[in-house]
Amino acid sequence: MKIAIIGAGYVGLTSAAVFASLGHSVWLLDKDKIKIKTLKSGRVPFYEPELPELLKKSLSKGSLKPTLSFSEAIPDADVIFICVGTPMSKNGEADLSQVFAAAESIAKQLKKYSVIVNKSTVPTGTTERVKNIIRKIAGVSFDVASCPEFLREGNAVYNTLNPDRIVIGTETKCAEKVLLRLHEKLPGGRVTTDIRTAEIIKYASNAFLATKISFINEIANLCEEVGTNVEDVALGMGLDPRIGKDFLKPGIGYGGSCFPKDTRALHLIAHSNSYTFKLLKAVIEVNQTQRRNFLGKVRRAVGDLKGKKIGALGLAFKNNTDDIRESAALNIIDWLIKEGGRVKAFDPKANANAKKNLPALTVCKKPEECFLKTDAVLILTEWPDFKFLPWTALKKKMRHPIVIDGRNLLDPIEMRKFGFKYISVGRP
Ligand code: UDX
């Protein structure tokens, strides 16, 4: 099929590369000239495993064509995906300006029947608003649809090639048929439904996962009070298939471009429909408190932060990405610096992004540098690489051998054997 995808971020670029690899002919549109130039040369503007290889393959076959031009990409397309950002606006609602701008640009170039699919995470009713914008401008028939994306950064290609489910929200049987055919080579369950339901499935899924994380974080806090081990609790809970073992890792709270934004947006959607989503409000509050709790642990371990040297391992919002959006690690480091702490940090992929965002931060080329004459080292992102550091040698470099592990990455017994004062989350 002929596809046009608007927005070359994580979702748009990954979808484009995957659809191209499945044999479709894909135009990938973005308004950012530098991004399009970078993509044309086969480079991915952010760190995402497997994506550069897939991009290069599709470019060389000619099945994926990055472009700035709507007039090149839209007229022939059977299916057009809107994959632009819906960042959080000041009041917490999703900012839909990029979605509506994309709709207008599509409408001006529509020359034949196409299915216009929203993949961006949007409040219920947005796809209908997209339809109204296009209807006013376009002179041909078209359908709109909603197919939310569930990929995880760091695993985006795998998730897109192996989805658990494909949600297809449409208003007509014709659009449903087109979209079922488009996805026919992909595994996973199919959920065919109406557009509003598809839109809310995405928010409900992310809000539920965020709830699991806040829940286990509260259990971890309780474990600290009663002297029990949250990892055993999570294991004991997670083996029940109704609960499931995933997303039960306690830590410093969730971050990233989705959970913080989507939980707040869903809370506001409920509020604007006169419904008070009490549970979601608590999930959001617990997440913020979890970051503060960690700061409290650092204060209790090193005393007044003024002038203290702190090493920080991890800056990205999770491992396997260079993304620092809503990163709990950066948030905590910012607080440490504001309280007078001197922070040296290392992340395998996110150093450059973090430095741009927080110029007061000293970034190190190697994790080892974060230990030099420091009063404590913090683990803030769950990069597995940090498990295998030469801890005995590193201890000697520190002023005080204190490790505060916000991701429960290390083994408490081993760390104490190495001679560290070791503090983690919800473990005795
Ligand atoms: C998420 C959803 O998982 C994905 O389905 C959706 O399409 C986009 O949002 P992503 O933002 O890439 O994906 O990250 P994810 O792997 O879900 O992690 C989100 C945050 O939760 C990270 O900060 C991570 O460190 C944290 N997390 C995750 C925990 O603290 N504990 C866990 O058990 C799992």
Side-chain angles (χ1 to χ4, degrees):
M1 279 186 181
K2 289 184 178 147
I3 303 173
I5 294 184
I6 298 146
Y10 286 92
V11 171
L13 176 52
T14 310
S15 306
V18 165
F19 280 128
S21 76
L22 295 176
H24 299 291
S25 165
V26 185
W27 283 104
L28 176 60
L29 272 150
D30 202 285
K31 58 179 185 223
D32 183 336
K33 279 188 194 154
I34 298 175
K35 204 181 245 183
I36 291 298
K37 205 173 152 198
T38 308
L39 291 170
K40 278 185 173 169
S41 72
R43 284 172 299 136
V44 174
F46 45 82
Y47 175 72
E48 183 59 45
E50 295 180 51
L51 194 51
E53 295 78 17
L54 203 63
L55 170 70
K56 275 186 204 125
K57 242 192 234 166
S58 318
L59 286 173
S60 66
K61 275 198 303 188
S63 53
L64 173 58
K65 289 165 279 185
T67 180
L68 290 162
S69 157
F70 278 80
S71 60
E72 205 163 34
I74 301 298
D76 270 353
D78 303 308
V79 181
I80 302 165
F81 284 102
I82 300 178
C83 301
V84 296
T86 51
M88 194 162 30
S89 58
K90 277 203 183 101
N91 65 0
E93 282 174 14
D95 173 353
L96 300 173
S97 53
Q98 294 182 58
V99 174
F100 298 143
E104 252 189 77
S105 306
I106 293 167
K108 288 179 189 154
Q109 297 300 333
L110 217 53
K111 301 281 184 289
K112 69 171 191 69
Y113 172 84
S114 306
V115 183
I116 297 146
V117 189
N118 202 2
K119 249 188 190 301
S120 304
T121 305
V122 292
T124 31
T126 305
T127 307
E128 283 159 33
R129 290 171 72 186
V130 164
K131 182 168 94 178
N132 292 336
I133 292 172
I134 300 175
R135 198 167 37 198
K136 278 191 196 136
I137 304 170
V140 291
S141 75
F142 66 94
D143 271 316
V144 288
S146 165
C147 286
E149 178 55 61
F150 300 98
L151 64 79
R152 293 173 70 188
E153 287 179 26
N155 260 321
V157 172
Y158 180 83
N159 292 158
T160 310
L161 279 167
N162 300 280
D164 303 312
R165 76 292 207 190
I166 293 169
V167 174
I168 296 177
T170 54
E171 292 178 321
T172 67
K173 276 285 156 207
C174 175
E176 185 182 296
K177 235 170 94 184
V178 170
L179 293 176
L180 283 171
R181 192 150 60 82
L182 176 70
H183 292 95
E184 70 191 356
K185 286 191 185 153
L186 291 172
R190 304 293 190 260
V191 181
T192 50
T193 182
D194 61 88
I195 289 175
R196 284 184 161 234
T197 307
E199 287 170 337
I200 212 92
I201 286 173
K202 174 64 189 260
Y203 277 120
S205 303
N206 276 357
F208 187 76
L209 291 169
T211 304
K212 268 188 113 173
I213 298 169
S214 280
F215 185 87
I216 202 66
N217 279 332
E218 290 237 271
I219 293 288
N221 298 342
L222 181 62
C223 285
E224 285 176 12
E225 296 304 319
V226 297
T228 48
N229 187 334
V230 69
E231 298 217 315
D232 293 345
V233 176
L235 181 68
M237 289 167 64
L239 286 173
D240 180 336
R242 291 171 303 171
I243 299 174
K245 62 181 174 23
D246 293 333
F247 280 67
L248 285 181
K249 284 205 188 72
I252 51 175
Y254 58 77
S257 64
C258 294
F259 287 177
K261 164 176 82 77
D262 295 349
T263 44
R264 277 179 222 150
L266 185 59
H267 187 255
L268 278 170
I269 292 169
H271 182 74
S272 59
N273 285 282
S274 309
Y275 183 74
T276 310
F277 203 145
K278 289 187 215 151
L279 180 59
L280 198 51
K281 187 165 181 266
V283 167
I284 297 164
E285 278 169 10
V286 169
N287 195 52
Q288 200 55 21
T289 312
Q290 200 64 10
R291 297 177 180 193
R292 286 269 167 210
N293 285 348
F294 187 79
L295 183 70
K297 282 183 180 168
V298 182
R299 278 202 211 103
R300 281 195 296 282
V302 305
D304 185 0
L305 284 163
K306 209 158 185 199
K308 294 281 159 53
K309 280 190 170 178
I310 311 279
L313 297 178
L315 295 162
F317 82 94
K318 66 171 186 180
N319 65 308
N320 243 355
T321 180
D322 62 359
D323 196 342
I324 53 149
R325 285 177 288 176
E326 297 273 340
S327 162
L330 266 197
N331 190 179
I332 289 164
I333 291 172
D334 188 31
W335 287 333
L336 292 170
I337 293 174
K338 283 192 176 124
E339 289 196 22
R342 287 152 62 196
V343 184
K344 285 193 281 190
F346 169 81
D347 189 285
K349 296 289 172 198
N351 271 356
N353 285 344
K355 181 74 187 163
K356 256 186 257 157
N357 191 273
L358 199 60
L361 178 69
T362 306
V363 289
C364 303
K365 288 203 176 84
K366 289 183 184 161
E368 286 80 357
E369 291 170 38
C370 297
F371 288 76
L372 209 62
K373 295 197 173 72
T374 44
D375 295 289
V377 163
L378 319 179
I379 297 181
L380 299 176
T381 307
E382 61 273 42
W383 285 99
D385 322 30
F386 298 151
K387 279 190 203 165
F388 309 106
L389 294 174
W391 291 102
T392 313
L394 292 174
K395 182 180 158 249
K396 292 185 191 136
K397 297 188 175 197
M398 295 178 76
R399 192 146 64 186
H400 296 110
I402 301 174
V403 171
I404 311 172
D405 182 353
R407 299 293 191 163
N408 286 359
L409 201 68
L410 306 170
D411 181 345
I413 297 172
E414 271 198 5
M415 289 307 282
R416 277 167 209 145
K417 260 196 221 150
F418 289 138
F420 285 97
K421 179 177 180 186
Y422 176 77
I423 300 154
S424 58
V425 186
R427 299 190 295 181

